[in-house]
Amino acid sequence: MTEIGERINPKRRFVGSFLPNCLLLRTELSPGAKIVYARLAQFFNDETGYAWPSQDLLAEEVGISNRELIRSINELREMLLIGTERRGLGETNRYYFLEHEW
């Protein structure tokens, strides 16, 4: 077990949301949109090609309001980084990731 204050290698230690450098370095993306992108990527399902967390869950896990989450999602859509599909009343949206020139 690691002692408090002991050095660790974070690359091999943690499982979590990671942001590609090509997005991290973009000044035209807000910090909130970057974090939402990274968290959405964790929900991605290889079999379906979608991520579909609820907005409430996503906002809670990222630590932002639902309003800020919607702004971040819209920002990612406007930058053509993700797309969304509505599944129906009371259903979560489906998110998919788009190839980008960055």
Side-chain angles (χ1 to χ4, degrees):
M1 184 165 162
T2 306
E3 297 289 326
I4 301 297
E6 186 177 329
R7 291 183 185 199
I8 63 169
N9 179 349
K11 285 184 175 181
R12 304 205 186 275
R13 174 81 182 241
F14 302 111
V15 174
S17 300
F18 297 96
L19 190 63
N21 284 337
C22 62
L23 295 185
L24 180 66
L25 300 173
R26 301 311 289 204
T27 58
E28 59 266 57
L29 275 178
S30 70
K34 292 174 184 181
I35 294 170
V36 168
Y37 183 95
R39 188 64 183 120
L40 266 176
Q42 275 195 286
F43 283 101
F44 184 79
N45 182 298
D46 290 329
E47 293 177 19
T48 65
Y50 294 99
W52 59 90
S54 71
Q55 289 184 349
D56 288 340
L57 176 65
L58 198 53
E60 180 182 330
E61 289 187 354
V62 172
I64 58 178
S65 69
N66 280 36
R67 175 173 268 167
E68 180 62 29
L69 175 72
I70 291 168
R71 275 195 293 264
S72 294
I73 289 171
N74 286 337
E75 185 178 343
L76 292 168
R77 288 176 63 208
E78 289 169 9
M79 298 298 279
L80 302 176
L81 293 165
I82 66 168
T84 59
E85 292 179 3
R86 295 196 69 139
R87 295 196 314 155
L89 190 59
E91 298 287 329
T92 58
N93 290 337
R94 290 193 298 193
Y95 304 92
Y96 53 94
F97 294 82
L98 301 169
E99 184 66 42
H100 202 277
E101 65 185 14
W102 296 340

